[in-house]
Each structure stands twice: as structure tokens, then as C-alpha cells.
Amino acid sequence: MKHKLIVAALMATALIPATAMAQDPVRLAFLAASSQNGYNAATWQGVQDAAAAAGGVEVEIFDGEFNAATQYAQVEDIIAGGRFDGIIVAPNDTVGIATALEEATGEGLLVASVLFPVGPELTVMTPQVKGLTTTVALNPVEGAAAEAEEVVKFCADKDPCNVVIMIGQLQFPFDNLRYNSMVDVLKQHDNIKVVATGEGNYSPDQSLTAFQDILQANPEIHAVLSNADQHLLGVEIALEDAGIPIEPIYLIGGGLNQITVDKIREGKFDATLSAHPYYEGFYAAEALIKAARGETVDNWIDPGSKATNPLIVTKEWLDAHPDFKAEWQG
């Protein structure tokens, strides 16, 4: 009888699908700064592709609505729900969300931050939150300063050289840091005058409205320095509506989306700061999946480590690389 029971048990086991016998899936939540934002959409695609490549991984996106309180609450809900093994966050408030993420790591959740580090020091890429698995980001000061240096080059033979800075939202710690980094470079040159600052909130429509107001008070502008390509689209429309020629004005954005790449090739925009939203998501998800499966991962990953393009992409570089495609449409 004993042998019959063993045989029956073995036969029953043989009938169980292989997927049911496999390890439980790794479940990851992606907390987008805003799911309506093109940059975040590219990051989400990277997360999904890393999950598909690894196999046995489930992913879900949460819309942070560019609202720090919303995103904080999402972390708390994820902790309470117990459905996920890890969180990938594109933080709206890099300082404020640290407390919630430390609670998450304390409950055993794996956490990766993309685009920015989480914590009080935005130039420190290694984890400032206890237990945080990894950060996939570039140093925001380096990028903002590099953009400003391009404006300095353009303004070299102009006195005065009137500059407008278009930033996302100054209430965001990372945008404030970028803004101050830009100003620190520009203020070293007496011929450069920052005549206005506009908040575009990463939206062409909001940038259009902000820049229209700026033009009313400052009709003579020589350069626009922006941390986001989306802002330049609004600036372009405002200039066209005002009957101001675009080509003489130096326009530099950030994010390296395909729309901007095309406009740089056309000669409408001049340059953009490289970014790697797709690989931020891919490398972050890949790291958490490996960590969940017991592998060791780096606590800081440069998303542009395998990129062939320079930090600042210009028409000259694009002309020399006609087959280049951006990671996101914009």
C-alpha cells in the first residue's frame, strides 16, 4: 500500500505544470513621476523589457501625477498591500520620499531610484537611504553645468547676451539644483544676463504660456537654456506666434528625445543634454530582479555607460551620425 501511495504521489506531481513548480514570480512596481510624461513612458518600456528578458517577472506602473504626496502614499500602499517584491521610483521629491522608501526597505522590499538619487545630497549617487539597492542616474549638476557652458560659448561675442532659463518646477529639489548649477556658470560672465526664468513643468503647453509672458517683458532674447526638450517645443510656438525668427536664437534642451533630434537636424534647435530614460528603467529592473534572485548588484549604475553619443548632442555630431535614433519620441 505504501508503494502505491508513493507512485500515486509521483504521478500527481508529474501532472503539475512546470510553471506551477517554478519559483514565485518577482513582482516590481514602477512609480512614475507621471505616467503621462514621455520620459517616464520610455523608462516604463525599459522596465517591461527587462522583465520580459528575465522571465518570471510581473511589473505594474503607478502614476505619480508629478505630485510628491501622491507618490509618497503609493509607497505606503505598496508596503501595506504586500503584493510586490520591489519598487522602482522616479522620485517627484527626492528628499521627502526618502522616509517612505526607508520604511519599504525595512519591510524587506528592494528599491531602485532612477533619474535622481534619493536623499538630501543630489550629487551623491551611492545610496543615502538605508537598504536601497541601487540608483540608476547621472549627476544632475554635471549635466546642467555642461548645458550652461554651451550657452557661454554661444554668448562669447555678444554683450549683452540675454538668456532665459526654462526649468521644470523650482519647488522640486532636483530642478532647483539644476537651476542653481546653470546660474553658477552663467554669472561668471558679465556679458550674460539672465533676464527671466520660466517654469514649464515638462509640458509644451505650460512652457508656451510661460514663454509668452516672458516675451511680453523681454522681446530681445539671444538664448534659451532649458533642462527639458519638452519646454523648447512650447518656446518654439511662442516665438513663431510672436513673429520672432527662431534660427538666430540659441536653443538648448535636455533629454535627447527624437522630436528634438529631428529639430536639431533641421537647424531649429541647437543642442540637447543626453539622457537615457529607457536604460534607466531597464537597468533598474534588471538590478532588482537579480537582487531578488540572490545576485549581487552595483549600488550605482550609469545609464549611459553603453551609449555612443556625447553628453551634449549637437547638429555637428548628428550630421556625422545620420543613423542615430533617440531612446524616446518625446
Side-chain angles (χ1 to χ4, degrees):
M1 183 60 134
K2 181 177 181 182
H3 290 298
K4 289 182 179 179
L5 290 173
I6 293 173
V7 171
L10 289 173
M11 290 179 65
T13 301
L15 294 174
I16 298 173
T19 52
M21 297 180 66
Q23 61 184 355
D24 291 337
V26 176
R27 295 181 175 88
L28 302 179
F30 171 50
L31 275 56
S34 167
S35 62
Q36 308 306 309
N37 173 263
Y39 192 100
N40 278 227
T43 305
W44 171 231
Q45 187 61 57
V47 170
Q48 294 175 89
D49 287 354
V57 180
E58 298 174 3
V59 292
E60 185 176 335
I61 186 172
F62 292 78
D63 184 6
E65 302 174 351
F66 280 136
N67 186 302
T70 296
Q71 202 168 56
Y72 194 103
Q74 287 169 348
V75 175
E76 293 188 318
D77 289 343
I78 287 170
I79 295 169
R83 291 195 300 119
F84 293 97
D85 303 295
I87 297 170
I88 299 165
V89 59
N92 281 323
D93 181 351
T94 55
V95 178
I97 203 168
T99 303
L101 293 180
E102 186 166 348
E103 182 182 347
T105 61
E107 292 296 324
L109 284 160
L110 300 166
V111 176
S113 178
V114 297
L115 187 57
F116 303 108
V118 170
E121 300 296 333
L122 283 171
T123 59
V124 176
M125 299 295 109
T126 51
Q128 301 170 57
V129 172
K130 184 179 179 180
L132 189 137
T133 303
T134 193
T135 299
V136 187
L138 298 172
N139 188 318
V141 169
E142 292 178 9
E147 285 186 87
E149 290 292 355
E150 294 299 312
V151 173
V152 170
K153 293 176 188 176
F154 171 79
C155 290
D157 60 352
K158 292 179 174 57
D159 190 5
C161 187
N162 297 330
V163 177
V164 172
I165 296 178
M166 291 294 296
I167 204 75
Q169 289 189 42
L170 287 174
Q171 68 173 338
F172 293 157
F174 47 83
D175 276 346
N176 196 274
L177 177 63
R178 285 165 162 167
Y179 175 78
N180 289 328
S181 299
M182 292 171 177
V183 171
D184 285 345
V185 172
L186 299 180
K187 71 182 182 182
Q188 298 176 42
H189 304 272
D190 292 339
N191 64 310
I192 296 177
K193 310 297 180 186
V194 178
V195 295
T197 297
E199 293 182 296
N201 197 31
Y202 303 94
S203 162
D205 291 341
Q206 292 187 43
S207 300
L208 166 61
T209 301
F211 203 76
Q212 284 174 329
D213 293 341
I214 288 170
L215 280 177
Q216 290 181 1
N218 305 278
E220 187 175 3
I221 294 171
H222 302 107
V224 178
L225 169 57
S226 174
N227 70 306
D229 290 339
Q230 301 97 309
H231 299 158
L232 294 188
L233 296 175
V235 168
E236 178 186 20
I237 296 171
L239 291 170
E240 289 175 343
D241 288 350
I244 300 173
I246 296 172
E247 286 76 8
I249 299 174
Y250 186 83
L251 301 175
I252 181 169
L256 188 60
N257 66 42
Q258 189 60 44
I259 293 173
T260 298
V261 166
D262 294 340
K263 287 186 177 292
I264 293 173
R265 285 189 168 123
E266 294 169 12
K268 289 189 174 181
F269 297 171
D270 294 278
T272 185
L273 174 69
S274 289
H276 307 279
Y278 174 87
Y279 282 105
E280 286 172 11
F282 189 95
Y283 292 148
E286 183 181 60
L288 292 195
I289 294 164
K290 287 180 177 179
R293 293 175 175 170
E295 298 182 45
T296 301
V297 299
D298 294 333
N299 61 14
W300 171 52
I301 300 169
D302 177 357
S305 58
K306 297 181 181 178
T308 58
N309 52 283
L311 185 61
I312 301 293
V313 172
T314 63
K315 188 175 189 305
E316 180 181 16
W317 187 86
L318 289 172
D319 287 346
H321 299 81
D323 297 329
F324 175 78
K325 297 291 184 183
E327 291 181 20
W328 60 302
Q329 182 61 28

